[in-house]
Amino acid sequence: MKKALIGITVLAAIGAGGFVGYEKFLKKAPLERGTEVKLILMQQVEAGKDKEGDIVRFLVAEDVLAKGGGIAVPKGTLVKGKVSQSRGENMFSSLTNKPARLELQIDGATLADGQTLKLGVEPNGPLDQPLSLNRANTGRQNISEKLKGIATDPDVMAALSQIEGSFRDGGKVDLSNEATKKGFEKIAKELNMKNLQEAVLGDKVADVNSVLDSTKRAGNVLNDPLAIGAVLELANIAGEVGSKLGRMLSGRKIVAYPGTPISMYVGESIQVHPR
């Protein structure tokens, strides 16, 4: 009888604890319309080259908080969109009044609880308003003058080529070559990219490649803060290299490079389960 009572007491305690945890899980908080969501572009998009309907991928660059605190949308969440208008520019564009155009329709993001987060271009604007990219909002700021100082190093040049290629053509970051690994170490140290530095020194590049692969496949991004941070840092480097190449080849294109920051806004208020 005593054992039975003890068993009942234990089960009751477990049940109560489970109920408290379940109650905590059910707790929701509002993510209000107009809340800013900072994104980073994960690929190169060019007017006239990319076609209407092509998928475009972003990652959330900073945690988005629900009202009252708690993370509603974690950094590294994948946001998808597609090209809705893409028109290049040629020597007759000014005569025919058809300048280059590059517009994206942002589909939004899928949250951990399965809800779709709808995003708009303006805090209180219509959801169907396209994101218009131009030379002003896609222009790259030089991430660091220090990059110029080390760019002539053969190891660094090899690493930069690999980084730019991974975002342009979908290749992997490969550190099996010792010289390339040294190049990555020099870049991470010189630019104070702590996530990348830790990933390289800690032999965690496989995790970084997994996050890169998941964004390219437009799948769910792995919940790995270090790898996500390293990927965002790599996107900035890739965009810097691509931008410099682009300026040398042509100054009249509309090209959005990896690492381009884009601010979007929650388009509809929703109730979320904050972390």
Side-chain angles (χ1 to χ4, degrees):
M1 182 67 178
K2 202 177 278 187
K3 286 183 179 178
L5 287 173
I6 292 171
I8 292 170
T9 304
V10 170
L11 287 173
I14 293 172
F19 179 77
V20 170
Y22 186 62
E23 189 178 52
K24 184 179 179 182
F25 173 76
L26 288 178
K27 187 178 180 181
K28 289 186 176 182
L31 178 57
E32 297 187 330
R33 184 184 184 193
T35 301
E36 185 179 13
V37 181
K38 294 182 179 180
L39 306 178
I40 289 290
L41 180 64
M42 292 302 294
Q43 66 195 84
Q44 182 169 311
V45 188
E46 182 177 331
K49 183 177 181 180
D50 290 276
K51 308 301 181 186
E52 293 181 12
D54 285 354
I55 299 297
V56 182
R57 306 172 306 279
F58 303 83
L59 287 186
V60 174
E62 298 178 9
D63 292 335
V64 181
L65 303 181
K67 187 176 181 180
I71 299 172
V73 187
K75 174 181 176 179
T77 298
L78 180 68
V79 174
K80 292 184 288 184
K82 56 181 174 288
V83 177
S84 57
Q85 186 170 10
S86 178
R87 183 174 66 205
E89 187 173 280
N90 56 43
M91 61 186 296
F92 299 110
S93 294
S94 58
L95 296 175
T96 57
N97 196 27
K98 290 184 177 180
R101 296 290 296 273
L102 182 57
E103 293 183 348
L104 310 178
Q105 196 68 49
I106 307 301
D107 298 333
T110 301
L111 302 182
D113 60 3
Q115 293 190 85
T116 299
L117 176 68
K118 296 181 179 179
L119 298 173
V121 175
E122 299 176 358
N124 295 297
L127 283 172
D128 59 355
Q129 180 180 349
L131 172 64
S132 181
L133 298 177
N134 51 54
R135 295 183 186 92
N137 63 15
T138 58
R140 295 278 310 181
Q141 293 182 349
N142 195 352
I143 57 173
S144 177
E145 288 294 321
K146 293 180 179 179
L147 187 58
K148 293 180 181 178
I150 61 172
T152 55
D153 183 301
D155 296 344
V156 171
M157 289 176 69
L160 289 175
S161 177
Q162 193 179 117
I163 293 168
E164 197 267 339
S166 70
F167 283 85
R168 176 172 38 82
D169 302 324
K172 292 182 180 294
V173 175
D174 181 15
L175 298 187
S176 58
N177 182 292
E178 194 62 31
T180 308
K181 184 176 181 179
K182 287 180 180 177
F184 273 89
E185 290 175 357
K186 290 173 184 176
I187 292 169
K189 183 179 179 181
E190 193 68 29
L191 301 182
N192 195 30
M193 293 183 161
K194 295 179 180 178
N195 290 283
L196 180 58
Q197 192 169 17
E198 187 175 338
V200 173
L201 295 177
D203 290 326
K204 296 180 179 178
V205 175
D207 299 334
V208 175
N209 278 321
S210 294
V211 171
L212 272 171
D213 284 344
S214 63
T215 63
K216 291 164 188 171
R217 289 183 284 100
N220 293 326
V221 177
L222 302 178
N223 184 20
D224 187 331
L226 174 65
I228 289 168
V231 165
L232 292 173
E233 290 170 350
L234 285 170
N236 273 306
I237 298 172
E240 183 69 14
V241 175
S243 176
K244 280 182 169 44
L245 290 173
R247 284 199 296 271
M248 286 189 292
L249 296 173
S250 174
R252 297 186 60 78
K253 295 179 179 179
I254 297 179
V255 183
Y257 295 96
T260 297
I262 301 290
S263 282
M264 298 292 289
Y265 301 88
V266 175
E268 290 181 354
S269 298
I270 57 173
Q271 295 288 321
V272 297
H273 296 100
R275 294 196 325 196

